Amino acid sequence: MNDRTENLLLALPGILLLGLAFFLPIAQMLLLSISGPEGFTLAHFVRFLSDPYYLNILWRTVRLSVLITVICALIGFPLAYIMTKVGPKLRLGLVVIVILPLMTSVVVRTFGWMVLLSRSGIVPELLRDTGLVGRTFALMQTEAAIVIGMVQVLLPFMTLSILGVLTRIDGKLEEAARTMGCSFLQTIRTVVLPLALPGIVAGSLLCFTLSASSFVTPNLLGGTRIQVLAASIYKSVTATPDWPFAAAQAVILFVGILLVLVPYIKLTGAKHG
Amino acid sequence: MANVRLTDIRKSFAKTQVLHGISLDIASGEFISLLGSSGCGKTTLLRMVAGLESVTAGGIEIDDRDVTSLPPEKRDIAMMFQSYALLPHLSVSENVRFPLRMRGIGSREEQQEKVAAALETVQLGHLSERKPRQLSGGQQQRVALARAIVSQPKVLLLDEPLSNLDARLREDMQVELIEIHQRLGLTTIFVTHDQEEALSLSDRIVLLNAGRVEQQGTPDEIYNQPATSFASNFIGSANLVPVEITDSAQGPVAKLEDGQVLHLDPNEAIRGKATLALRQEDLTLSANGMGLKAKVRTRVFLGARNRYVMSLAGHPLRALTANDLDFANGQEIALAIDPARIRVIAD
C-alpha cells in the first residue's frame, strides 16, 4: 500500500460523511427547487423574487446580517486587542467570558434575553425609568432584539478570529510606530488594523454566514412578524407545507452566502499560492 | 542634533529595582555606547529615553527640554530595533517614508526625495518597491537604518542593531554606522553587549553593571585603564587573579594564593589585598622559561591564534598566543608578563 492509497483510506470516513450528510442533501435541495408538477420549472424562484413580501425578508436578512457583523467587529476588535495586551491570567478569563455564550444552549440563552427584553423586563424598564425612551417603548419582537441576541452569540467567532491574528503581530512594530511619530490611535490605524485585516475578514465572513442562516434566535426574539429567510424557509416547510418553495428559498440563501465566500477564498488562495 | 541629559534615573519592575540612579550627560552629536551583559538594564535605559518605558524616578531631557513624561511620538527620536521592526505590509520606500508621513515633514515630493536619499545612503535604492520579507537580514537592517535617519531625529537610538547579523555583515555595518554618524552628526545612543563593537564605534562608552554605571570614558580609557575588576574582565576579558601585594627588596611584589610571586611595576602604589587584571594577549607562554608556573588545561584553535586555558593557583587563566605554540594538556609551563601591562585593582 503506498502513501497515496493510505492517505485516501484515512480520509475516507470524512469524505463519506461529507458526501452523505452534506453534498447529497444539497443536491436534493437543488433538484427540489427546480421541480414542479410538470418537471423542470423556475416558478418557485420567480414567485420569491417577484413578491415584495419575500424580497423584504431577503433584504432584512442581508441588512441584519451586515449590521450584526459590523457590531461584532466594532466590539470584537478592541476586545481582542485588549486581550493581547493583558497578562495571561486575565486573558484566559476574558476568553472564557467571550466563549461562555457558546456553551449555553441556544434556547436557554434566548429565553434569557426574552426575560431581559420583554415589556416588563429589566432593560426596557430601566430605559423608561431613566426617561431615555417613551412609555410605549418595547424591545421584544423588534429587529433590535434580534441584533442584540445575535451579536452575543457571534461575538466569540469574531473575537477569536481577530485574536488569532493579533497575537502573531510583533509588539515591536507598535513600539516602532510610536517612535516614528504615531500616537496610540494612529498606531492602531496604520499598523495594527492593516495587519489584523485577515482576521477581521475571516471573522466577518463567519459572522455574516452564521447570522444569515440563523433561525432560532431571530425567530424567538423577533417573533413571527419580523421574519428572516431561515425562518421563512421553516414556515414554508411546516405551515404550508411547500417543499419545493422552501428549497428555492434555501438555494437563494445558499447561493447568497457562496457569493460572499468565493471572493474571500480566491483572495486568500492567491496569497498562499 | 541635541544633547541628552539623564538625571538619577531609577526603574523598578514590580518589586525588583533594575536601574539604581543613572545620570548621564550626552553631548550634541556624540556617539555613546551603553555596554553591559544581558540584564544589566542597558536596553531598559534606552527604552526609557525613547519613551517606551516609564520612568520610576529621575528625569530625562532632550535638547534641554524635559521629556520625562512625554509619549514617544512627541520626543523627536528615532529608534532602530534588534528585530528591525519593519512594517511588513508596507514596501521598503513606504517604510522609510513612514516617519516623515506621520510627523508631517515636508510635502509628498520632498518626502520622496528624502526617502530616495536615505535609501541611497544605505545603498538600497534599487530595492525600494520590495516588501520587507523579500529582503535578506542585512538588507532589512539597512532599511531600518535608513528609516531611522530619514527624519533627521534629535537623537538616534540603536538597540543592539547588529546582533542578528553574521560576522562579515556586522563589520560592514559598523563601518557604515561610523560613516553615517560622521556625515550626519546625529546624537546617537547605542546599546550593545559586544565590547569590540562598543570600542570600535563610540566616542564614549558607558559600562553598566547590575543597573549601575560601572565606568565611563573614551574607548581608550575604558580599555587601557579599567577602574574595577568587573570593567577589566568585561572589556578585553582580562584574567582576574586575587593577590596580596607586599614590598620587597626589588620593589612591590604580588603573592598569589599558592605562594608564587610576581614582580610588579616599581611605581605601583597599592598594597595589601588586590586583584590583578592580566590581559589574555599580554601573557607570554614558554615551555621552560622564567615566570609563573601554570598547568595547561585546554587549547582552543582560533585560526590566526591559539587560546590556552590554564590553571594558575587554582583559578582558570586564559591566554592568546601565536598559533605555532604547541603545548600538551596537563603540561607545566612558564608564564611571563611585562609588569607595565599588569593592571592592579584595589579590593
Side-chain angles (χ1 to χ4, degrees), chain A residues 19 22 39 58 92 120 127 132 135 144 147 158 172 176 219 236:
Chain A
F22 183 69
L58 179 64
L92 186 68
S120 52
L127 289 172
L132 287 171
R135 301 300 323 166
V147 172
M158 181 67 88
K172 288 272 179 290
N219 214 29
S236 298

Side-chain angles (χ1 to χ4, degrees), chain B residues 161-222:
Chain B
L162 308 182
S163 59
N164 285 345
L165 299 178
D166 59 56
R168 275 266 331 262
L169 269 175
R170 188 154 51 210
E171 280 173 27
D172 291 350
M173 274 311 288
Q174 284 180 7
V175 174
E176 213 154 310
L177 272 179
I178 293 173
E179 285 174 358
I180 284 173
H181 180 249
Q182 281 168 353
R183 186 137 32 101
L184 303 177
L186 293 171
T187 310
T188 307
I189 307 179
F190 181 84
V191 159
T192 183
H193 62 266
D194 183 332
Q195 43 116 353
E196 271 178 44
E197 218 164 79
L199 290 170
S200 55
L201 290 172
S202 341
D203 296 324
R204 180 153 56 114
I205 294 174
V206 177
L207 183 63
L208 293 175
N209 178 27
R212 289 189 175 84
V213 175
E214 189 80 18
Q215 185 179 1
Q216 53 173 308
T218 62
D220 182 53
E221 284 166 1
I222 291 271

Side-chain angles (χ1 to χ4, degrees), chain A residues 41-55 232 235-236 240-246 248-249 252:
Chain A
T41 175
L42 284 175
H44 310 303
F45 290 98
V46 172
R47 181 179 154 205
F48 184 91
L49 295 171
S50 59
D51 187 338
Y53 174 77
Y54 289 111
L55 284 179
S232 167
K235 208 179 84 182
S236 298
T240 326
D242 187 347
W243 279 89
F245 185 55
Q249 293 179 68
I252 288 169

